Amino acid sequence: MSDRNAYNKEIKNRIQKGKDYKQFTLEGKSTELIAEINDEERLMGVCYDLLADDKELSSEERTNLNLVLEAEAESLKKTSSNLWKSYRLVETMADELETRTKEVEKSLKKHIFPVPPSNTVIDYQEERRNNFAQGLNFYKLFLICFIGSFGGVVVEIIWCLIRNGYIESRSGLVYGPFNLLYGFGAVVMTLALYKYRNRSSSISFAGGMITGSIVEYLCSWGQEMVLGSRSWDYSDMPFNLNGRICLLYSIFWGILGVMWIKNVYPRMAKAILHIPNKMGKIITWVLVVFMLVNVTVSGVAVMRWAERVKGIEASGTFWGFIDERFPNERMERIYPNMVF
């Protein structure tokens, strides 16, 4: 608490001084460091002269000089490493400070259309309320997966309607408009970008592009290995990799990364903040059970569908029940693009 009070006092002192406080911060110290480095460089110039003059020093002195220069070279290497670490840390701090300030100010201003809350405000409110889904725990990640599974299907259905002029199922499960590909992607995207949620959008774009492409490739490969089917194929698209990913959709993943961590995630986290802790935990576990049942039934239905395509008859009452409940016509409506 004493450290916190000391920092609060320092911040208030800086606020009162305005821009004049800078001479006492890292900027002033870095200027002093540059001066010290210049002094060290001039000192090394004298050492180089002594090193080149074979008459100035005795044999013993020259030996000692070599030892000093070797030690100095090792010291400079360590200094260089420390300065490089300092540079990266300060560069990160500058980018984060600028981003946090802009996003908080933007969220506080009145706009015609509502803007998302800043991640800085979300972090503060989660900690202050001791929210059940604080940070990146199981509850928040599952809720992100659930909402992402639903939202991704809705978005792709709308995209299909705009692009093709008709509505077509994009579900990945037999019960409800859910697709775990989107839910899994949302979770992975959150895990990959959460650390950089208060950094500039360019970092979110790069992270989203890389993360989304990897997830899409692995999901396509996994589906083909396990089920022997593919739900998408980019072989006709330029700059594709085995038809599983392509440059265009990788760029879309990058844009999605920015939209997700800067717009969607903070809105979602803010909505979760309104759920009471006890009720939130109960709701989460009910949805967990529902999704486990949904995934299990969907897997069984797809496996049996694949067997029917191969002409394999149902063996037993259970598989006969699956054929009755999930005939080819129903499966084709749910998975119109699935090819075995």
Side-chain angles (χ1 to χ4, degrees):
M1 183 60 69
S2 60
D3 289 342
R4 181 80 177 190
N5 292 335
Y7 284 125
N8 286 338
K9 184 177 180 180
E10 173 63 22
I11 289 298
K12 290 180 180 179
N13 183 41
R14 292 187 182 187
I15 292 173
Q16 291 175 354
K17 290 185 176 181
K19 289 186 177 181
D20 293 336
Y21 84 87
K22 292 195 297 183
Q23 59 180 313
F24 304 107
T25 63
L26 290 176
E27 181 181 355
K29 294 178 180 179
S30 64
T31 303
E32 295 175 0
L33 178 60
I34 292 175
E36 291 182 12
I37 292 175
N38 289 333
D39 288 341
E40 187 72 13
E41 185 177 21
R42 284 190 287 270
L43 181 61
M44 288 298 97
V46 176
C47 290
Y48 300 152
D49 291 341
L50 292 173
L51 187 66
D53 191 343
D54 58 353
K55 297 180 180 179
E56 180 71 19
L57 301 176
S58 65
S59 176
E60 182 179 353
E61 289 176 329
R62 180 167 294 278
T63 299
N64 290 336
L65 174 63
N66 289 334
L67 292 175
V68 168
L69 293 179
E70 288 178 4
E72 182 67 17
E74 187 65 28
S75 177
L76 288 174
K77 290 179 182 179
K78 293 180 180 179
T79 302
S80 175
S81 176
N82 291 336
L83 289 176
W84 173 243
K85 292 177 183 178
S86 300
Y87 165 77
R88 289 186 297 173
L89 181 58
V90 172
E91 187 73 13
T92 298
M93 290 170 59
D95 179 68
E96 184 171 338
L97 177 59
E98 186 176 29
T99 302
R100 282 179 183 262
T101 303
K102 288 181 179 178
E103 291 182 352
V104 171
E105 287 298 315
K106 181 179 178 181
S107 67
L108 294 177
K109 292 180 180 178
K110 293 184 178 180
H111 300 269
I112 298 177
F113 299 102
V115 299
S118 71
N119 284 303
T120 299
V121 174
I122 293 297
D123 295 343
Y124 172 74
Q125 291 180 348
E126 285 183 349
E127 182 178 359
R128 188 183 66 176
R129 301 180 188 182
N130 194 25
N131 185 254
F132 77 99
Q134 182 178 346
L136 284 186
N137 60 11
F138 166 78
Y139 294 102
K140 179 179 283 184
L141 290 176
F142 178 80
L143 291 174
I144 286 175
C145 180
F146 185 85
I147 298 172
S149 297
F150 173 79
V153 171
V154 173
V155 170
E156 191 162 354
I157 288 176
I158 295 174
W159 173 250
C160 178
L161 178 62
I162 295 174
R163 184 179 182 182
N164 302 323
Y166 57 83
I167 295 178
E168 187 177 69
S169 172
R170 288 294 186 267
S171 298
L173 301 175
V174 294
Y175 297 128
F178 302 102
N179 191 322
L180 284 180
L181 172 63
Y182 300 113
F184 179 67
V187 170
V188 174
M189 193 73 74
T190 303
L191 290 172
L193 300 180
Y194 184 81
K195 180 180 179 181
Y196 309 101
R197 64 195 181 283
N198 293 310
R199 299 289 303 279
S200 59
S201 296
S202 59
I203 295 178
S204 299
F205 177 86
M209 186 174 181
I210 296 171
T211 302
S213 298
I214 292 175
V215 170
E216 189 173 25
Y217 189 96
L218 292 178
C219 286
S220 173
W221 176 82
Q223 178 182 338
E224 187 169 353
M225 292 298 100
V226 176
L227 300 176
S229 63
R230 298 182 70 168
S231 296
W232 65 89
D233 190 344
Y234 302 138
S235 297
D236 295 331
M237 302 285 288
F239 305 106
N240 73 85
L241 182 60
N242 300 327
R244 304 187 192 281
I245 58 174
C246 66
L247 178 61
L248 177 62
Y249 281 88
S250 292
I251 292 175
F252 286 162
W253 278 114
I255 296 173
L256 178 62
V258 177
M259 293 178 59
W260 177 260
I261 205 64
K262 296 294 185 181
N263 196 303
V264 179
Y265 169 78
R267 292 179 190 274
M268 190 182 304
K270 183 178 180 179
I272 295 174
L273 276 169
H274 293 301
I275 305 175
N277 284 349
K278 185 175 181 180
M279 183 182 298
K281 292 181 179 181
I282 294 174
I283 291 174
T284 303
W285 283 110
V286 169
L287 294 177
V288 167
V289 173
F290 166 72
M291 290 302 285
L292 287 175
V293 172
N294 203 353
V295 169
T296 302
V297 174
S298 299
V300 170
V302 170
M303 289 176 62
R304 180 60 197 135
W305 183 22
E307 290 180 347
R308 289 198 300 270
V309 170
K310 296 177 182 178
I312 301 175
E313 296 293 331
S315 57
T317 305
F318 174 76
W319 294 111
F321 171 78
I322 295 298
D323 286 350
E324 181 181 345
R325 290 290 299 166
F326 302 100
N328 290 359
E329 295 77 12
R330 180 179 179 181
M331 298 299 289
E332 289 170 0
R333 287 196 301 270
I334 298 174
Y335 307 105
N337 297 312
M338 185 169 287
V339 179
F340 294 98

